[in-house]
Amino acid sequence: MPARPAASPDLPSDPTVADLIRHGADTFERAGLAYGHGTDNAIDDAAALVFHALGLDHAQAEAAYGTKPDAAGVSRVLALFGERVERRVPAAYLMGRMWFAGLEFEVDSRVIVPRSPFAELIHAGFAPWIDPERVRRILDIGTGSGCIAIACAVAFPQARVDAVDVSPQALEVARRNVARHGVGDRVQLFQGDVYEPLGDARYDLIVANPPYVSDEEMRALPPEYLHEPDLALRAGTDGLDVVRRILAGVPRHLEPDGALFVEVGDSDVRVQHAFQELPLTWLEFEHGGGGVFLLRGPGQRS
């Protein structure tokens, strides 16, 4: 990736793209914004908004930095900066899109912003934990925008994917993304809680990025996170309400040679304490992120 321009407090009267990024980053830093919705710093947050407002290609970033947008373009950029600061709206919602596993998804405040380390697992076909060639049925619990389900469908072209979410509003967004990526013949969306709408269906691979934030942690979240659906974040006193239901359904819904992957973020210590009897494997990621455990089906356990 090309080096980002360093932040600066001043905006010239005839700014370049780099000037706008510097100005935005400095403005964001002074406003004390929080990150974590696809970017983790002020420079990248500002760059995302500038490139979106000006219709620039991130693949041509090096050439774009020195260009000077017209007055209308500058006004669009500054308006987005204002929204980001005044309302503390995550940049992804201001853009109406976010990238996950190399794919672009529509997002809005009906769904959380895609940011899961599952992208790395999907790119690897979940190897070495499973044999990708043997995967025929996949379940995505808490699908939200549909990003994990759709990315799995792309990565496993031989598989069918069921995607469940309790929120009908989230599923409206997921339907748009399923259509956008042309996987409607293999991705089926269900409205309901965890396994409830699935009957006795069994799966080779179950993935879940469920709500896992405790009530106490919800009260401490930065304002940016409060733009996301409470239903997609909050999971009771200890943050494990949904995780418990996921694990309880494993014997009925996971094939003996299958595998379950669940993201629990900072609730990982609480999961380890609450489920000491389960042979959970905690995964490490080359590109950052964590808080994901693996539970193998009984046919895989030694």
Side-chain angles (χ1 to χ4, degrees), residues 28 43-55 58 76-77 80-84 89-95:
F28 295 172
I43 286 282
D44 286 346
D45 220 51
L49 291 175
V50 170
F51 274 61
H52 172 72
L54 301 178
H58 287 274
R76 290 195 301 273
V77 169
L80 284 178
F81 287 172
E83 281 281 283
R84 181 71 180 91
V89 181
Y93 289 156
L94 295 174
M95 297 186 295

Side-chain angles (χ1 to χ4, degrees), residues 183-202:
V183 292
D185 59 330
R186 292 189 297 111
V187 176
Q188 187 169 1
L189 303 175
F190 295 87
Q191 195 266 316
D193 181 62
V194 190
Y195 306 103
E196 180 266 331
L198 302 173
D200 293 321
R202 301 184 71 89

Side-chain angles (χ1 to χ4, degrees), residues 5-46:
S8 167
D10 302 317
L11 182 64
S13 58
D14 188 22
T16 64
V17 167
D19 292 330
L20 287 166
I21 294 173
R22 293 187 192 104
H23 174 73
D26 182 74
T27 301
F28 295 172
E29 290 284 8
R30 287 186 283 113
L33 301 187
Y35 309 98
H37 294 89
T39 67
D40 60 7
N41 62 81
I43 286 282
D44 286 346
D45 220 51

Side-chain angles (χ1 to χ4, degrees), residues 80-126:
L80 284 178
F81 287 172
E83 281 281 283
R84 181 71 180 91
V85 170
E86 292 166 19
R87 297 180 52 224
R88 301 288 293 268
V89 181
Y93 289 156
L94 295 174
M95 297 186 295
R97 61 182 180 177
M98 182 47 64
W99 291 264
F100 176 79
L103 304 171
E104 184 178 299
F105 295 92
E106 294 185 28
V107 296
D108 60 32
S109 58
R110 291 173 289 181
V111 298
I112 62 171
V113 176
R115 52 183 180 268
S116 172
F118 268 121
E120 187 174 318
L121 292 171
I122 293 169
H123 279 309
F126 291 86

Side-chain angles (χ1 to χ4, degrees), residues 29 49 57-58 69 72 127 140 167-168 180 187 198 213 222 249 267 277 297:
E29 290 284 8
L49 291 175
D57 184 355
H58 287 274
D140 175 27
S167 167
R180 177 189 185 98
V187 176
L198 302 173
V213 183
S267 292
E277 75 284 1

